[in-house]
Amino acid sequence: MSFKVAVVGATGNVGREMLNILDERGFPASEVVALASRRSQGTEVSFGDRTLKVKALDTYDFSDTDICVMSAGGNVSKEWSPKIGKQGCVVIDNSSAFRYDPDVPLIVPEVNPDAVELFSRKNIIANPNCSTAQLVVALKPLHDVATIKRVVVATYQSVSGAGKEGMDELFTQTRAVFVADQVDVKKFTKRIAFNVIPHIDVFLDDGFTKEEWKMVAETKKMLDPKIKLTATCVRVPVFIGHSEAVNIEFEKPITADEAREILREAPGCQVLDKRENGGYITPLESAGEDATFISRIREDSTVDNGLSMWVVSDNLRKGAALNAVQIAELLVERGLIQPRSGGAARERN
């Protein structure tokens, strides 16, 4: 069986990565269609060894499309995902538009794959926030063994999480610093080059930012509503790869050695934890990789049953594009969707 797949937002960072990953993983696609806004119509994007011409979202007919992978922002998703779902096409949405809708499953396949079966309520499946995705991949196997009570996490998030404009701003500002030129601030609230900014998304009334709230709400929805979590989300001058310093308090005793062995066997996790110079992962090494990397696993003597660790992942992949493709694979593997277009051979149109 092969499926007709549409990628909405195909000209963006995540959209292009979605196309790359669909090809890399050999997703059973009879046809892949690149979609974006009208102003991008006719733009060419790569899909494996082929080139796709971008079509306009607002004139595309989804009636014979099986899966729509959406990465065009919350406003576009709010308008189009319900319309696409009503045409019988399953939407896998990368925005925050439907993550907290009780009728829309929020999925990380390594964490809560069974929840995917709820997709038929609206034909929409939500992809979590990039910082939450890597966190719950690392937390899930430990929670299964020792039951997590509380998590304190500080994130160090790359500028690619703010899209192409964020990456361009870091590049432009860095160059300006080196040539003693004027440093212009546009995308971020303060200069990002050679700086860190403790502010991602809008501020809420309680002093937390919406990015921090997302991590709390999404962890509870996917992993366990009883888990208490507090986050501080920080933007750092790194192009790709989010890092997290994670402190965990468990109900049951668990040692660092036990945690290390559990995580080595866990799906999606890769442990690199040597107590020596360079014996840990940084975001530079995570770029282009699928795994969630875990380092610096150690016991926290300030609380009963406490551990601290360092979690790093490519935010464009596991934090967005890879997770979306894995959800599509989950639908196929479980026989939850059938091709409507009758495609039998995998083509790249």
Side-chain angles (χ1 to χ4, degrees):
M1 288 191 297
S2 52
F3 300 82
K4 185 173 181 181
V5 180
V7 177
V8 178
T11 57
N13 285 343
V14 174
R16 290 175 187 269
E17 199 66 32
M18 285 171 170
L19 290 168
N20 290 337
I21 293 171
L22 284 166
D23 177 71
E24 285 174 15
R25 294 173 71 90
F27 187 82
S30 59
E31 182 180 354
V32 174
V33 182
L35 301 174
S37 64
R38 284 197 180 191
R39 68 177 179 273
S40 296
Q41 188 171 357
T43 302
E44 294 186 343
V45 292
S46 296
F47 176 59
D49 57 1
R50 299 288 299 274
T51 299
L52 306 179
K53 283 199 173 182
V54 174
K55 299 179 181 180
L57 169 63
D58 61 0
T59 58
Y60 183 74
D61 180 4
F62 285 90
S63 61
D64 67 346
T65 303
D66 302 300
I67 298 170
C68 172
V69 189
M70 173 85 67
S71 186
N75 290 334
V76 173
S77 183
K78 284 177 184 176
E79 178 183 357
W80 283 97
S81 291
K83 296 178 184 177
I84 296 167
K86 285 178 181 177
Q87 291 186 56
C89 177
V90 181
V91 179
I92 301 171
D93 179 36
N94 192 56
S95 80
S96 62
F98 297 95
R99 289 176 189 159
Y100 317 109
D101 186 326
D103 291 326
V104 174
L106 178 65
I107 301 293
V108 171
E110 296 93 337
V111 175
N112 61 335
D114 293 343
V116 77
E117 298 189 10
L118 301 173
F119 82 93
S120 58
R121 293 175 179 176
K122 289 189 175 179
N123 262 5
I124 301 171
I125 302 170
N127 221 22
N129 189 36
C130 47
S131 51
T132 310
Q134 68 187 65
L135 178 66
V136 294
V137 167
L139 293 182
K140 166 68 173 173
L142 301 176
H143 183 58
D144 287 346
V145 172
T147 310
I148 294 170
K149 291 173 59 179
R150 181 171 183 261
V151 178
V152 180
V153 56
T155 72
Y156 307 81
Q157 296 178 224
S158 66
V159 293
S160 57
K164 183 178 182 296
E165 296 91 345
M167 299 179 77
D168 289 346
E169 186 150 313
L170 174 58
F171 178 83
T172 302
Q173 288 183 358
T174 302
R175 183 174 57 187
V177 170
F178 276 115
V179 299
D181 209 345
Q182 177 177 324
V183 177
D184 294 322
V185 174
K186 296 178 181 177
K187 179 65 178 176
F188 300 112
T189 56
K190 295 196 175 188
R191 189 181 102 178
I192 186 61
F194 306 98
N195 197 19
V196 297
I197 304 171
H199 174 195
I200 301 176
D201 212 324
V202 297
F203 276 98
L204 305 177
D205 290 343
D206 61 3
F208 286 88
T209 65
K210 193 172 182 182
E211 184 83 357
E212 293 156 354
W213 176 85
K214 289 175 189 174
M215 294 192 73
V216 176
E218 293 170 17
T219 299
K220 287 178 176 290
K221 183 172 180 177
M222 288 186 290
L223 193 54
D224 190 334
K226 295 179 183 177
I227 291 175
K228 295 179 180 179
L229 187 146
T230 186
T232 301
C233 293
V234 182
R235 190 73 72 191
V236 296
V238 170
F239 282 107
I240 296 173
H242 288 357
S243 305
E244 297 172 348
V246 187
N247 181 266
I248 315 165
E249 184 179 354
F250 298 88
E251 288 186 7
K252 303 171 187 175
I254 183 170
T255 67
D257 286 341
E258 288 169 340
R260 212 170 279 115
E261 290 306 311
I262 291 165
L263 291 167
R264 282 198 178 106
E265 299 299 319
C269 295
Q270 189 165 327
V271 176
L272 178 59
D273 189 14
K274 298 178 181 178
R275 295 175 180 180
E276 61 186 42
N277 292 345
Y280 40 80
I281 282 286
T282 66
L284 183 64
E285 290 99 40
S286 78
E289 300 291 333
D290 289 347
T292 295
F293 295 93
I294 302 145
S295 309
R296 303 289 320 279
I297 303 168
R298 59 208 187 274
E299 290 159 30
D300 176 7
S301 62
T302 68
V303 294
D304 292 335
N305 309 326
L307 290 178
S308 293
M309 61 187 187
W310 176 248
V311 179
V312 180
S313 189
D314 181 330
N315 56 294
L316 297 180
R317 291 181 74 89
K318 186 54 190 171
L322 172 64
N323 198 71
V325 174
Q326 286 178 308
I327 292 170
E329 292 171 343
L330 190 61
L331 291 170
V332 173
E333 289 163 7
R334 297 200 172 197
L336 296 173
I337 59 170
Q338 300 295 322
R340 300 190 296 168
S341 55
R346 183 170 185 254
E347 302 170 2
R348 293 171 178 147
N349 302 11

